[in-house]
Amino acid sequence: MTQADQNKQPFKFYTRLNISELTGLRASTLTQLLSLIKEVPGSCIYHHTHRFLQLHQYLSPEPPNDFAYWVTEVLGEDELGEKLASIDTIQYSTIRSLREKIIKTTSEYLKKNSLAKFKFAHEGEEFYFIKSLSFILPSKYSANNLAEFKGALEKVTLDSIYFHVFESRLRLEKGTNDFSFWIETSLGNKALADKIARLDPYTYTLEDLRKALIKIVEQEQ
Amino acid sequence: MARIEEYVPIVGQAIIDDLRLLAERLKGKVVQHINSTSVGGGVAEILNCMVPLLRELGVDTRWDLIKGGDQFFEVTKKFHNALHGRKAEINEKDFNIFMETSQRNIEEVNIYGDIVFIHDPQPIVLIKKKKENKWIWRCHVDISNPSQKVWQFLKKFVDKYDAAVFSAPTFSQKLSVRQFLISPSIDPLSEKNKELPRETVEIVLKKYGIQKNKPIITQISRFDRLKDPLGVITAYRQVKKYIDCQLILAGGTATDDPEGLEVLEEVKEKAKGDADIHILLLPHNDMEVNALQSASTIIMQKSLKEGFGLTVAEALWKAKPVVASNVGGIPLQIKHKYSGLLCRSVEGAAFALKQFLNSPSYAKKLAANGKEHIRNNYLITRHLRDYMLLSLALYHNEDVVSL
């Protein structure tokens, strides 16, 4: 352990627990979906682009977002579904810019495929807009150095890893994940911080993401 | 009654730690649940399990009942059917009976909770006692297509609550109050879901003359047309042409439910002459239901209409491949081709059954995914977390809350 590895600011692990709030808004067609994507709160866009990842954390890599899933499975628009599923979420640092990309992708598809607007979801299969309400709480885990950091990574909930990697970067608009920020600013290890920031977390299951983070930290020790 | 620590081996210590963190944030608040019965029915089952666990976590949770005579409960049963979209003749007299009993309950029920959970329509009028405290209407019924007469009558009260809670997005309605989504859950330590010794399963199979050496397709449901037992037999017959298998249709029917008995007779008639179809009446025998699910090769839930359909969660929790209809809360539990197969017709169901029977490794993979999905989303521990989060949500309007 080098001196730089010692603490300046301990890393405090938080956990994030969320509950779903129904908006009462629903879409039966692609046109309605697009129009509602434009107006719903950012928490709805966040919910539908990240919910699948949390609910089906064992299924990823490449979990479809809810829009992609609905467009493919309910409307049968496979091509648009694929385009929406392959939006590179990690490139977007705000919900606003992610929303714009979804709107652009869907609008362009509708322009080129005018028949797509005539497809209807059956009753009960409509797209229901839901928003995520997140509660952020300090967990009992903290780390003063890389060894403690690795130890905590092994123990915290997937919700905690999720918060520091996804929610913090995109929803709280911090620009990078909390782990990279702490490792660079408090431990002064920019190379390690960059290595973690370069991970595309959207292509891991959450458990595999935990393992990947632990492995990177281990290699550094 | 299981203690909270007993869930650690199932969901992990960290999940239980999170529950304790949330419970700390509710210290000093009294949470009062009110419903109409302490035994029988899904709501009582949930509260009997959740209230002691919440108390053990440190949340001061209490449970009170309203009173109502036969007439009142006849009316609320009609309400229940009407909210489900079934035909029910409801007249002014029924509404008067409901209001008279509700008025007596308003006078007699002591409201002391900082947060008051009102379950289902029976105690809904108690909202008239609302003061500074928070009130939640927890709707356990599928009201996606309700009788407007009954719904509009109840909605006047719902609009006075701080929030309403539904089990599936499709059940929600246009309301002036906040609406939350909280799915029901299963208790992995209950008689119906705990892991059974192999011998126990074998005793049950022997008791009902079910063979171990042939694939078993099972649907656990009461004998009700909406569960489509006749469609299940047709699908089984389409499969049987190619693969030798057995079918179990097991469930209860109330002796005072003439339609249930009629359906049972139709099912028996359709199954006549096939020794591989086992029709079993198993009201209130959770252990035997568990054994049959555990022994099955595939579980079906071919409902035409469904509430949440927790039998799907029960089957997935036992790591069984599931073929189920794309209705009610089922698509929340099964993502097609990820954690089970969804169908919309008898033919689709038969095709899915054949896929699973002919590709056991595919079936196993989807079933394993399904089990993890239930572990993460539909166990009682998630339900406890949601109730605590909901209680906290009532004190915050922002979308991201730091506690």
Side-chain angles (χ1 to χ4, degrees):
Chain A
M1 195 84 56
T2 65
Q3 193 56 41
D5 201 29
Q6 294 302 315
N7 74 312
K8 285 180 185 165
Q9 280 278 347
F11 187 87
K12 182 91 190 126
F13 284 85
Y14 284 76
T15 189
R16 180 239 41 159
L17 302 169
N18 73 318
I19 186 166
S20 299
E21 187 166 345
L22 298 156
T23 63
L25 300 169
R26 67 176 87 168
S28 300
T29 66
L30 205 47
T31 317
Q32 286 171 359
L33 182 80
L34 179 60
S35 143
L36 287 167
I37 286 173
K38 289 176 184 169
E39 68 180 57
V40 292
S43 296
C44 277
I45 303 295
Y46 180 77
H47 178 91
H48 292 296
T49 49
H50 288 73
R51 182 195 73 108
F52 204 97
L53 183 71
Q54 297 159 70
L55 286 187
H56 302 270
Q57 46 196 247
Y58 51 91
L59 283 177
S60 188
E62 294 177 55
N65 60 57
D66 285 345
F67 302 124
Y69 188 86
W70 186 76
V71 160
T72 308
E73 298 296 331
V74 176
L75 296 186
E77 294 294 337
D78 294 9
E79 190 188 331
L80 176 60
E82 187 178 300
K83 283 182 176 174
L84 289 170
S86 47
I87 288 177
D88 195 3
T89 316
I90 192 74
Q91 278 189 23
Y92 301 90
S93 56
T94 62
I95 295 288
R96 190 176 53 259
S97 56
L98 179 60
R99 183 204 302 259
E100 278 160 14
K101 175 66 182 168
I102 296 168
I103 292 170
K104 188 167 176 262
T105 306
T106 311
S107 306
E108 283 174 1
Y109 182 82
L110 267 172
K111 262 183 221 158
K112 283 186 202 153
N113 301 274
S114 50
L115 288 178
K117 70 174 78 145
F118 297 113
K119 288 197 179 165
F120 283 81
H122 289 287
E123 193 186 325
E125 292 187 10
E126 300 94 338
F127 190 95
Y128 288 81
F129 282 85
I130 296 171
K131 67 178 188 175
S132 280
L133 231 70
S134 295
F135 290 84
I136 299 157
L137 300 97
S139 76
K140 64 180 179 187
Y141 300 101
S142 65
N144 289 293
N145 53 48
L146 276 187
E148 288 177 14
F149 182 66
K150 179 184 157 266
L153 275 179
E154 285 165 352
K155 290 183 195 131
V156 294
T157 54
L158 291 175
D159 280 312
S160 178
I161 292 182
Y162 179 89
F163 169 71
H164 291 296
V165 174
F166 295 91
E167 189 135 354
S168 192
R169 187 187 74 82
L170 189 66
R171 204 173 186 199
L172 302 181
E173 301 191 5
K174 288 188 183 172
T176 186
N177 69 79
D178 286 342
F179 299 149
S180 292
F181 182 80
W182 176 72
I183 288 168
E184 183 174 347
T185 57
S186 281
L187 300 187
N189 191 339
K190 186 165 182 337
L192 178 61
D194 287 347
K195 214 171 182 179
I196 290 176
R198 269 201 305 277
L199 285 176
D200 179 356
Y202 291 94
T203 54
Y204 289 85
T205 65
L206 287 175
E207 202 52 72
D208 282 343
L209 180 61
R210 183 205 300 267
K211 285 180 195 151
L213 289 165
I214 291 169
K215 198 173 167 192
I216 291 175
V217 175
E218 265 172 357
Q219 284 166 351
E220 193 67 22
Q221 285 182 302
Chain B
M1 192 70 69
R3 294 185 62 80
I4 197 74
E5 285 302 316
E6 292 176 55
Y7 294 89
V8 172
I10 299 167
V11 296
Q13 183 65 50
I15 295 286
I16 304 301
D17 289 346
D18 279 355
L19 294 180
R20 293 192 195 285
L21 278 177
L22 283 176
E24 272 173 34
R25 302 302 194 278
L26 283 167
K27 278 253 161 69
K29 302 268 187 240
V30 176
V31 182
Q32 183 179 13
H33 290 266
I34 302 176
N35 78 320
S36 61
T37 172
S38 61
V39 284
V43 179
E45 200 178 309
I46 291 165
L47 289 175
N48 270 312
C49 181
M50 288 182 82
V51 170
L53 290 171
L54 284 164
R55 291 174 74 95
E56 196 192 330
L57 285 164
V59 182
D60 187 351
T61 310
R62 305 178 204 183
W63 178 10
D64 292 285
L65 301 172
I66 56 157
K67 287 182 191 152
D70 289 347
Q71 275 191 320
F72 176 74
F73 288 120
E74 271 169 33
V75 171
T76 57
K77 189 172 179 187
K78 282 188 195 175
F79 280 11
H80 183 88
N81 288 338
L83 290 173
H84 265 293
R86 287 190 221 142
K87 267 191 191 163
E89 298 249 333
I90 295 162
N91 52 39
E92 262 328 286
K93 192 178 161 214
D94 293 322
F95 288 120
N96 290 338
I97 290 169
F98 182 77
M99 288 309 292
E100 280 162 22
T101 307
S102 295
Q103 189 53 44
R104 275 199 297 281
N105 279 312
I106 287 172
E107 287 154 21
E108 289 170 20
V109 176
N110 182 19
I111 300 290
Y112 49 80
D114 297 297
I115 299 158
V116 183
F117 276 79
I118 297 292
H119 294 267
D120 280 343
Q122 297 91 336
I124 200 167
V125 186
L126 288 179
I127 188 65
K128 288 189 174 179
K129 295 190 88 168
K130 182 175 183 346
K131 288 184 180 151
E132 294 302 304
N133 49 1
K134 306 286 185 189
W135 286 65
I136 298 159
W137 185 56
R138 197 336 173 186
C139 177
H140 297 269
V141 187
D142 172 359
I143 57 163
S144 49
N145 193 16
S147 139
Q148 283 305 315
K149 190 174 179 183
V150 172
W151 172 241
Q152 291 306 324
F153 170 77
L154 295 174
K155 185 174 175 293
K156 290 188 305 238
F157 302 107
V158 179
D159 279 332
K160 295 193 169 77
Y161 281 74
D162 292 291
V165 181
F166 298 98
S167 298
T170 47
F171 300 174
S172 65
Q173 292 288 330
K174 278 202 172 139
L175 292 171
S176 60
V177 299
R178 292 172 85 185
Q179 301 184 52
F180 291 88
L181 173 65
I182 297 184
S183 302
S185 61
I186 58 167
D187 181 359
L189 298 176
S190 69
E191 193 72 10
K192 208 193 269 184
N193 296 305
K194 67 183 184 191
E195 201 171 334
L196 292 176
R198 199 189 193 89
E199 308 80 67
T200 310
V201 175
E202 287 183 2
I203 288 167
V204 174
L205 290 185
K206 200 170 170 194
K207 177 178 171 185
Y208 293 111
I210 297 157
Q211 298 175 56
K212 283 194 294 179
N213 57 356
K214 254 188 220 185
I216 302 168
I217 299 165
T218 300
Q219 175 159 304
I220 306 283
S221 277
R222 62 176 190 274
F223 292 93
D224 181 326
R225 289 206 171 81
L226 292 178
K227 308 294 178 189
D228 199 17
L230 299 178
V232 172
I233 295 178
T234 310
Y236 152 82
R237 291 228 160 101
Q238 289 182 12
V239 174
K240 182 92 170 172
K241 280 194 252 172
Y242 305 96
I243 305 160
D244 192 16
C245 56
Q246 306 168 88
L247 174 67
I248 300 174
L249 285 167
T253 180
T255 44
D256 61 351
D257 175 8
E259 193 179 302
L261 294 172
E262 203 180 296
V263 175
L264 179 61
E265 285 313 308
E266 287 169 21
V267 170
K268 282 182 180 166
E269 181 61 32
K270 182 151 182 167
K272 210 184 254 176
D274 188 338
D276 279 333
I277 301 181
H278 305 272
I279 297 160
L280 313 176
L281 263 183
L282 299 176
H284 316 302
N285 195 330
D286 287 349
M287 188 278 285
E288 288 193 353
V289 166
N290 185 346
L292 292 173
Q293 287 171 325
S294 303
S296 298
T297 318
I298 302 174
I299 306 272
M300 285 186 85
Q301 191 59 57
K302 214 207 119 348
S303 308
L304 302 174
K305 200 164 171 21
E306 190 56 78
F308 193 78
L310 271 180
T311 48
V312 169
E314 290 165 14
L316 291 174
W317 180 244
K318 295 173 183 87
K320 297 295 164 185
V322 178
V323 173
S325 301
N326 191 26
V327 295
I330 292 175
L332 294 175
Q333 300 170 73
I334 293 181
K335 283 289 167 221
H336 186 50
K337 296 184 191 168
Y338 286 103
S339 46
L341 293 174
L342 294 174
C343 60
R344 293 172 177 81
S345 63
V346 167
E347 292 75 16
F351 182 68
L353 289 171
K354 281 189 283 183
Q355 276 184 299
F356 274 155
L357 288 173
N358 286 332
S359 309
S361 56
Y362 178 60
K364 200 174 166 186
K365 189 178 155 211
L366 266 58
N369 281 344
K371 177 158 187 165
E372 287 316 299
H373 184 46
I374 300 307
R375 190 195 308 278
N376 292 324
N377 302 293
Y378 295 107
L379 295 186
I380 186 79
T381 40
R382 190 275 309 151
H383 210 163
L384 291 167
R385 186 196 69 190
D386 281 358
Y387 269 28
M388 288 193 279
L389 285 173
L390 170 64
S391 301
L392 291 165
L394 298 180
Y395 295 92
H396 299 273
N397 285 320
E398 59 274 36
D399 291 344
V400 181
V401 180
S402 285
L403 290 174

